[in-house]
Amino acid sequence: MSQECALGRQRALASFQAQLKIMHDNRDGVSAHEVMPIHDMRVASRRLRMALKINREYLPKKARKALNRELRKITRALGRRRELDVMIAMLRAHRDETHALWKRFMDHAIGILEQRQAREARSCAEATTVLESEAFLAANASVVDGLDTRSGCVLDVAREELMEAFDFTREARKWWKRNGDDDDLHEVRIAIKKFRYACEFHKELFGPPMAEHLARLKEAQGCLGEWNECRLLEDMVLILGDAADYQIAQGAPLVAEAYGQRADALEIQFKAQGKAQFSLEARKAFERLLNRPVVDCCVTE
């Protein structure tokens, strides 16, 4: 039996504790329905779920699934509110750049979305309730108590997880290229986000080359993030326009078209990024990166 991987244990615990701290530090802000705390808690819940995934070889399956289930409740609850926050912010940011016809509709849309935003206060309460629940605390304790890093060195675990995430993202992109469907590109966006989180957890193991790789991933993720926001807002604008009075609704098709055109431009931008980052040559380069860690294996047989 292998000895315990001390570095693996240290890194796993640090990854759990860091995200839990972010979530607890933003609890009051979420309760007060503040935009950034809602965003930060939601991101931390996602990152903690990824921390559970990349350390799954070290964790008892039952405890890992129980905590992931509680975290998913928080992610989903805050997602409803976060989506509205982003839409309102985008409309406000672009309002002053437009003429009167657009502004009239945008003011109407912002007002409607703010009403929905206020009604989503319950989702903030739902998230904080889960975070403070006995089920969440028990699941977290079971994960920490069950952590066992004798199954392998963190370097081997990291290589396996990162290549799996790379290949999953690459396949998602290939599927989108074949079909060209927005839903498929959305799946690519999610895959890249998860791949980035995994790379971030392991970046200290692989030094500057991983930092450079992460910078390119962030650029691609940012592109698809804005693409998704524009796509969602385009659909929302058309829905709100259909329900508005004629004088207000006149601006809706123009606003929707502007967001649609921006989404199309971002999709074209990502095509070049995706080709550069997920080609066969890019895969070989990433594999070479993983074979040159900046720390030594800490496990001996």
Side-chain angles (χ1 to χ4, degrees):
M1 180 180 293
S2 299
Q3 71 182 45
E4 180 182 61
C5 178
L7 181 59
R9 181 175 184 82
Q10 174 191 337
R11 292 182 58 78
L13 286 174
S15 66
F16 301 156
Q17 291 165 354
Q19 302 311 314
L20 283 168
K21 184 177 187 304
I22 292 171
M23 294 174 72
H24 284 287
D25 285 351
N26 284 283
R27 180 177 50 194
D28 291 344
V30 170
S31 296
H33 314 145
E34 297 173 10
V35 171
M36 287 312 300
I38 290 171
H39 171 68
D40 290 345
M41 183 183 286
R42 183 166 179 254
V43 170
S45 71
R46 281 175 165 171
R47 289 180 184 273
L48 184 48
R49 287 166 61 190
M50 179 54 67
L52 294 174
K53 182 178 186 299
I54 65 176
N55 290 292
R56 65 183 183 273
E57 187 173 332
Y58 296 151
L59 299 172
K61 185 176 181 180
K62 183 177 180 180
R64 176 172 55 83
K65 287 192 170 185
L67 183 53
N68 190 63
R69 186 165 55 246
E70 297 304 309
L71 287 166
R72 189 181 293 114
K73 294 176 185 177
I74 294 174
T75 306
R76 290 177 175 173
L78 295 180
R80 299 191 295 269
R81 172 62 186 249
R82 177 62 184 167
E83 189 173 287
L84 291 167
D85 289 345
V86 170
M87 288 184 181
I88 291 168
M90 288 177 69
L91 287 169
R92 284 176 176 162
H94 300 145
R95 179 192 178 279
D96 292 339
E97 303 170 3
T98 62
H99 52 71
L101 186 65
W102 292 40
K103 286 179 181 176
R104 188 160 54 242
F105 171 76
M106 287 176 134
D107 287 341
H108 168 77
I110 289 169
I112 296 295
L113 293 177
E114 284 179 336
Q115 292 175 17
R116 296 184 183 182
Q117 184 188 49
R119 290 197 294 271
E120 282 299 336
R122 66 182 183 275
S123 67
C124 296
E126 180 182 335
T128 55
T129 297
V130 172
L131 183 63
E132 297 167 354
S133 69
E134 288 296 327
F136 186 93
L137 294 173
N140 181 60
S142 295
V143 163
V144 173
D145 293 343
L147 181 63
D148 184 352
T149 61
R150 291 174 295 177
S151 57
C153 176
V154 67
L155 291 177
D156 295 331
V157 171
R159 290 189 190 101
E160 182 178 351
E161 289 293 335
L162 291 174
M163 285 310 307
E164 179 182 305
F166 186 102
D167 288 339
F168 183 85
T169 306
R170 187 165 183 261
E171 288 302 313
R173 176 181 167 271
K174 286 167 67 175
W175 183 262
W176 164 66
K177 282 180 62 184
R178 285 195 293 268
N179 298 300
D181 189 81
D182 280 356
D183 288 341
D184 293 327
L185 186 53
H186 177 66
E187 292 302 318
V188 176
R189 181 184 74 86
I190 293 173
I192 290 178
K193 180 182 295 186
K194 292 180 178 179
F195 180 37
R196 174 193 162 190
Y197 289 166
C199 288
E200 285 178 338
F201 279 123
H202 291 309
K203 66 180 178 180
E204 286 82 6
L205 300 177
F206 301 101
M210 182 60 84
E212 294 170 8
H213 182 76
L214 269 166
R216 295 190 293 271
L217 274 183
K218 289 178 182 178
E219 184 179 342
Q221 184 188 339
C223 177
L224 287 184
E226 186 182 352
W227 166 83
N228 187 56
E229 290 163 0
C230 288
R231 180 179 68 111
L232 292 175
L233 193 50
E234 178 187 14
D235 291 343
M236 180 60 73
V237 162
L238 291 174
I239 291 170
L240 295 178
D242 286 344
D245 293 338
Y246 174 73
Q247 288 193 335
I248 293 174
Q250 289 180 80
L254 301 173
V255 175
E257 182 181 11
Y259 284 115
Q261 289 175 344
R262 177 59 179 161
D264 290 343
L266 289 163
E267 182 174 342
I268 292 171
Q269 180 180 326
F270 174 72
K271 285 181 180 179
Q273 293 172 327
K275 182 177 181 179
Q277 295 181 37
F278 296 102
S279 65
L280 181 58
E281 285 304 312
R283 186 189 188 280
K284 292 176 181 178
F286 188 66
E287 194 168 20
R288 288 194 296 272
L289 185 161
L290 298 184
N291 287 326
R292 297 169 183 167
V294 296
V295 300
D296 293 328
C297 176
C298 60
V299 173
T300 58
E301 295 295 332

